[in-house]
Amino acid sequence: MTSATLLTPARTSRPGGERPGATTRAAERAYIRVLVVLDTAVLAVAILIGYLARFGDEQPTGSEIPYVAVAPVLLLVWLVSLKAMRCYDDQVLGYGADEYRRVSAASLRLAGGIAIAGYIADVGVSRGFLAISFAVGTIGLEVARFAARKRLHRARDRGAGWSRKVLVVGDTAHVLELVHTLRREPYAGYQVVGACIPDALLAPVPQRLGDVPVVGSFRGIPEAATAIGADTVAVTASGELTATRLRRLGWQLEGTGVDLVVAPALTDVAGPRIHTRPVAGLPLIHVEAPEFRGARKLVKGFVDRSLSLIALLLLSPLLLVLALAIKLDSRGPVLFRQTRVGQGGEEFGVFKFRTMVVNADALLAELAARNETDGLMFKMRDDPRVTRTGRLLRRWSLDELPQLANVLLGQMSLVGPRPPLPSEVARYDGDVARRLLVKPGMTGLWQVSGRSDLSWEDGIRLDLYYVENWSLAADLTILWKTFGAVLGSRGAY
């Protein structure tokens, strides 16, 4: 879901009472304090490493620079730089890549500024000391932020941790859709606590949309937010909520401590493709078309083939051991070659280590009634066709390593949608067929988000999201997350 902050009112208290979301704000401030402590510790260690790496245990010779004073000043200025780049802004904390970009930008800009100032003022601070300190510090800050965020996400998944309490406003259908979207990713930190619907739909008895209580109509949104302790009002589509009424709602929320966000009907579009342009007082959203060819695609292909070749060379001893284990465990070939559909609907043979008995396809009809997933795929946790070695290979996704050969041949990518069977493609509708606009991948959003635990609908949604919003940076992130998904064996069976 794509949310655009329309207004961010001043967070001042209501006269004579506690402002809405006071508990949330307290949890938010506690999380920010943890980040400040982490950043301070990381920077202190980075500066110490820079000093020891450059000078060792001895005092710098031939220099009049008092590094005992330089170190704390550098640490303080670095923290100020992080603050100036709004690295502690709650709008970017806990979700999305903007937090990491700001941390890196703050460090790089400070490093550049110090280098320029040192050159102009002819100050002889060791460049080696600064280079090592900034390199270690920048990486350390990113790692510390990542660790803090993962801990926050785990807390949010348990229903704890710092989350925004959201009052959703809109038509019933759009409210239900937005609630479903927000609950699909609880780690994003948006906890729906109530809804306001148009006056015409309001009944004289208490109502619920699913398990979300209806706490009011469009006439009393600020009062409803105060009553349920919401700190965020999320407005979705509604014919009755005109631009004038929305602007007045922003005015009504000023000074209440409640944020107003607008959730446009456009969903599953990544930030880099979205640009807000003010035209005649309207915040028009310009959406760039997806990129399916061009220089970036050539670079992706080059990176795919290069990394797959390196991986095949490095993993060749492991591949031999796995092949021997498969051969000793059960009768049949080591490799299993299955026809899959690739980019543009072109069929190819995907390579996998054999994890089932040789007559697995013939036994499928007998097991069809025990399918544990919806949609077009067959999945079964305790599939009797899987061999003993096959279960181990599937648990750690080792059966997919031969697909590196498919990547090297240009039939697949390291990251992309799941390669479908021809029987699945034959039943695709127009939307699902967009998965074939790019090469299928060894891993993808479907793998790092749960693999076989995902429903058919969620798997398709993730694949289409990748097709529309792919980038090299996203590929690297997915590859990194794949290691965690494999080690955790999530959804592997």
Side-chain angles (χ1 to χ4, degrees), residues 43 47 69-85 106-107 109-111 113-114 134:
L43 296 181
I47 293 171
V70 168
V73 171
L74 177 58
L75 189 152
L76 179 61
V77 173
W78 206 332
L79 289 174
V80 171
S81 178
L82 293 173
K83 176 67 175 177
M85 284 295 295
S107 301
R109 290 185 182 185
L110 178 61
I114 290 177
F134 275 106

Side-chain angles (χ1 to χ4, degrees), residues 137-319:
T138 303
I139 295 174
L141 288 173
E142 300 285 9
V143 172
R145 292 293 180 112
F146 177 80
R149 177 178 291 194
K150 285 301 179 184
R151 183 175 181 181
L152 176 63
H153 287 178
R154 286 193 293 269
R156 285 174 171 174
D157 285 338
R158 297 192 305 268
W162 157 50
S163 294
R164 297 172 179 85
K165 298 185 182 301
V166 182
L167 172 67
V168 181
V169 178
D171 292 338
T172 54
H174 291 100
V175 166
L176 288 171
E177 183 178 359
L178 181 57
V179 169
H180 172 71
T181 303
L182 292 177
R183 288 182 173 176
R184 194 166 56 204
E185 299 181 352
Y187 58 85
Y190 287 87
Q191 179 185 357
V192 179
V193 294
C196 285
I197 58 177
D199 303 79
L201 301 177
L202 203 61
V205 296
Q207 292 175 263
R208 303 183 76 86
L209 298 178
D211 59 349
V212 177
V214 175
V215 295
S217 69
F218 290 177
R219 297 181 183 274
I221 296 174
E223 292 77 13
T226 302
I228 62 176
D231 56 67
T232 302
V233 172
V235 178
T236 185
S238 173
E240 293 189 25
L241 200 60
T242 62
T244 300
R245 295 187 69 175
L246 185 58
R247 184 170 65 252
R248 288 175 180 169
L249 175 60
W251 295 340
Q252 292 172 341
L253 294 177
E254 287 181 357
T256 66
V258 179
D259 290 345
L260 176 61
V261 298
V262 177
L266 183 68
T267 61
D268 286 335
V269 179
R273 289 179 55 209
I274 297 176
H275 305 279
T276 303
R277 297 177 180 175
V279 178
L282 297 174
L284 298 183
I285 297 177
H286 175 76
V287 183
E288 294 182 355
E291 184 176 349
F292 300 119
R293 59 180 58 88
R296 290 202 307 145
K297 277 291 186 181
L298 293 176
V299 173
K300 177 180 171 67
F302 174 77
V303 171
D304 282 338
R305 295 192 178 196
S306 300
L307 292 181
S308 63
L309 177 60
I310 295 172
L312 282 171
L313 294 175
L314 294 178
L315 296 175
S316 55
L318 174 62
L319 297 177

Side-chain angles (χ1 to χ4, degrees), residues 11-26:
R11 293 170 181 166
T12 55
S13 302
R14 281 181 177 272
E18 187 183 61
R19 60 184 173 85
T23 303
T24 301
R25 303 300 184 198

Side-chain angles (χ1 to χ4, degrees), residues 39-119:
D39 291 348
T40 303
V42 166
L43 296 181
V45 171
I47 293 171
L48 178 61
I49 290 175
Y51 181 87
L52 293 177
R54 175 62 181 86
F55 303 111
D57 297 332
E58 301 178 358
Q59 291 291 332
T61 57
S63 173
E64 299 178 356
I65 302 298
Y67 284 93
V68 174
V70 168
V73 171
L74 177 58
L75 189 152
L76 179 61
V77 173
W78 206 332
L79 289 174
V80 171
S81 178
L82 293 173
K83 176 67 175 177
M85 284 295 295
R86 300 175 62 189
C87 296
Y88 303 105
D89 192 333
D90 67 341
Q91 300 294 333
V92 302
L93 293 179
Y95 189 76
D98 200 29
E99 177 182 1
Y100 301 120
R101 284 195 292 265
R102 291 190 186 190
V103 168
S104 295
S107 301
L108 293 176
R109 290 185 182 185
L110 178 61
I114 290 177
I116 294 173
Y119 176 78

